[in-house]
Amino acid sequence: DGINSANDDYAPTLSKDRATLLLTSTRENGSLGEADIFAANRTQGGYGSPVNPGSPLNTGGNDGAVSIAADGKTVVFSADDGVGGNGSTDLYIAEITDGRIGNIQNLGGSVNTSAWESQPAISGDGKTIWFASNRKGGYGKTDIWYTTLSGQQWSAPVNAGAMINTKKDERSPNLTPDAGTLYFSSNGMSGFGGFDVFM
């Protein structure tokens, strides 16, 4: 009950050393927008109460769906009203230094569009970001895409293809630390109903 509230608490992610838990929450206490990113530190009894790091990480819109690279130094997240935004929801990348998130950068026009880009998952080496989007060129309503880092520039996103994406919705990509397995949710494949988890 230290982590969960009467509001929506979702999309948790742990740092590699499990010392920090980041989650998205609509809790009102300390919230700047509809949903914000909260951080909780590990204690002997579990995790302490989540704290809102405030601006510039959180904005007046929806912020959340955080993914931390294996080195613990890079974090990717989505935001509605972040600086330099290109559309409804964009992807941002930031650095973690001494437990603080800073140097927040929009992934730019090569990745973000006026469409919805959200739910990122960064690979362990920090060089590939998988995400969900309803951008043009997909197979369905929302598809899974990925972008790769070349030098200092993120590439134009590539659709994950028809083996993964359907005419309906694919969302919430998540990678194993070795990037050998991709997990995702879909309501367009044969399952038990609604969104199911696939790998």
Side-chain angles (χ1 to χ4, degrees):
D1 61 358
I3 295 295
N4 294 302
S5 69
N7 299 88
D8 293 328
D9 306 296
Y10 56 98
T13 187
L14 283 171
S15 58
K16 186 177 181 181
D17 61 4
R18 298 188 178 191
T20 303
L21 170 67
L22 298 176
L23 68 143
T24 306
S25 179
T26 59
R27 67 187 67 203
E28 296 175 357
N29 185 19
S31 181
L32 297 177
E34 297 174 39
D36 279 348
I37 298 166
F38 286 76
N41 294 322
R42 189 174 181 87
T43 65
Q44 289 185 345
Y47 288 90
S49 296
V51 175
N52 188 326
S55 178
L57 178 63
N58 289 311
T59 67
N62 283 310
D63 309 291
V66 183
S67 179
I68 305 172
D71 63 6
K73 298 177 181 178
T74 306
V75 61
V76 181
F77 64 96
S78 63
D80 286 353
D81 297 324
V83 176
N86 291 298
S88 64
T89 302
D90 281 0
L91 299 179
Y92 289 79
I93 193 164
E95 297 174 356
I96 301 177
T97 306
D98 297 327
R100 296 181 178 273
I101 298 174
N103 192 23
I104 300 169
Q105 302 287 327
N106 185 294
L107 283 182
S110 62
V111 175
N112 292 311
T113 67
S114 60
W116 177 81
E117 281 91 23
S118 188
Q119 302 176 346
I122 190 167
S123 60
D125 61 7
K127 294 183 178 179
T128 305
I129 298 173
W130 296 75
F131 63 97
S133 178
N134 61 359
R135 64 199 296 140
K136 293 180 180 178
Y139 289 86
K141 295 178 181 178
T142 56
D143 280 12
I144 293 174
W145 300 72
Y146 65 91
T147 176
T148 55
L149 183 63
S150 178
Q152 299 296 315
Q153 183 69 35
W154 290 93
S155 69
V158 175
N159 189 286
M163 288 286 292
I164 290 177
N165 293 311
T166 67
K167 292 180 180 179
K168 292 188 177 180
D169 298 287
E170 280 66 48
R171 296 183 179 180
S172 304
N174 205 327
L175 288 169
T176 52
D178 63 358
T181 306
L182 173 71
Y183 292 87
F184 63 99
S185 294
S186 174
N187 64 5
M189 298 185 183
S190 179
F192 292 92
F195 280 97
D196 280 8
V197 178
F198 294 84
M199 62 181 286

